[in-house]
Amino acid sequence: TIRFAVAVEQSVTVTLHDATGKQVRELFRGVPTAHTMQSVRVDGSGLASGAYIVRLAGESFVASQGVMLAK
């Protein structure tokens, strides 16, 4: 589960990328309410165990975090 909050209401996309940088899933696309914690479940079905990158992109920011998927 990925948890995030935004300071300003804006369009946000959360994507999952493999180790080569290729996008493998879109986890969230929407406009979350400012200062409200959002939870996005990562569905690992159909994905191999290993290292992935979660990318969180809004209108005024981009952040990424490495994650490990273990089955």
Side-chain angles (χ1 to χ4, degrees), residues 16 42-45 47-52 67-71:
L16 184 67
V42 178
D43 180 5
S45 62
L47 297 174
S49 294
Y52 290 86
V67 297
M68 291 295 296
L69 176 62
K71 292 186 172 185

Side-chain angles (χ1 to χ4, degrees), residues 41-66:
R41 185 166 186 262
V42 178
D43 180 5
S45 62
L47 297 174
S49 294
Y52 290 86
I53 300 164
V54 175
R55 183 175 185 268
L56 178 68
E59 295 168 14
S60 61
F61 69 91
V62 175
S64 60
Q65 174 83 36

Side-chain angles (χ1 to χ4, degrees), residues 4 6 8 10-14 28-32 56-59 61:
F4 69 93
V6 293
V8 177
Q10 61 188 291
S11 179
V12 173
T13 304
V14 181
F28 175 86
R29 178 180 295 271
V31 181
L56 178 68
E59 295 168 14
F61 69 91

